[in-house]
Amino acid sequence: MAFSQKIATLLAYRSGYICNNPECNVLTIGPASSDPHLRTKKGEAAHIVGEKPGAARYRDIGKAQIESDQNGIWLCVACHTLVDKNNGKDYEEVELVAWKLSHEELMSVLLKTHRSPLPLVRRYTSNAKIAQDIVDTLAHK
């Protein structure tokens, strides 16, 4: 069962609509390219502890806790699929909780300090492709 819309929206907002996987950090919302009235979303609220027997990282913690925001993490669709493969054995509960806490702390700092890297990148180029190349180069250093 998916999270309620209220919980999913809360997780998305707390994450800045950015995937919580520290190796990914992809933006999960944006405009549709075909129509200015449409939008694209490629992010999902994922369960840290699986919601039912057989689900990745399942353990019986009760329905209220399973459906709470404390048991959710915001991921892009690719990372959501990845963390749930192999019954979640490659991505343990403690690791996902650490991702979530670290990411939310970063979002809080960026929000409070206004230190987003985007204005810096945009200041030096109006070409989005060059800006992305700069970010990719810095990410690999």
Side-chain angles (χ1 to χ4, degrees):
M1 176 179 178
F3 284 102
S4 71
Q5 186 61 47
K6 180 180 176 182
I7 296 296
T9 300
L10 175 64
L11 292 169
Y13 267 81
R14 292 184 58 84
S15 299
Y17 281 93
I18 296 171
C19 180
N20 286 198
N21 179 345
E23 298 294 319
C24 179
N25 290 306
V26 71
L27 182 63
T28 63
I29 59 166
S33 56
S34 61
D35 184 334
H37 303 290
L38 297 177
R39 60 185 181 227
T40 301
K41 179 175 78 81
K42 61 178 187 175
E44 300 173 335
H47 287 87
I48 295 171
V49 173
E51 72 251 70
K52 60 187 175 228
R57 295 168 304 280
Y58 173 78
R59 62 187 175 85
D60 187 4
I61 60 173
K63 184 178 181 192
Q65 186 62 27
I66 287 290
E67 296 175 356
S68 79
D69 63 301
Q70 297 300 306
N71 188 42
I73 183 170
W74 187 256
L75 298 171
C76 70
V77 294
C79 288
H80 187 179
T81 299
L82 181 66
V83 301
D84 285 351
K85 292 293 183 192
N86 300 320
N87 201 30
K89 293 192 185 309
D90 297 326
Y91 298 90
E92 299 290 330
E93 176 184 347
V94 66
E95 181 177 15
L96 298 181
V97 169
W99 286 3
K100 176 182 179 173
L101 295 176
S102 176
H103 186 83
E104 288 185 357
E105 181 181 329
L106 174 62
M107 291 298 102
S108 180
V109 167
L110 291 174
L111 185 63
K112 290 174 185 171
T113 62
H114 308 286
R115 291 192 176 163
S116 170
L118 191 55
L120 178 63
V121 172
R122 285 196 162 177
R123 185 176 307 142
Y124 294 103
T125 182
S126 60
N127 183 319
K129 170 78 171 94
I130 292 173
Q132 185 61 53
D133 289 346
I134 292 167
V135 170
D136 290 344
T137 299
L138 292 173
H140 291 98
K141 296 290 179 189

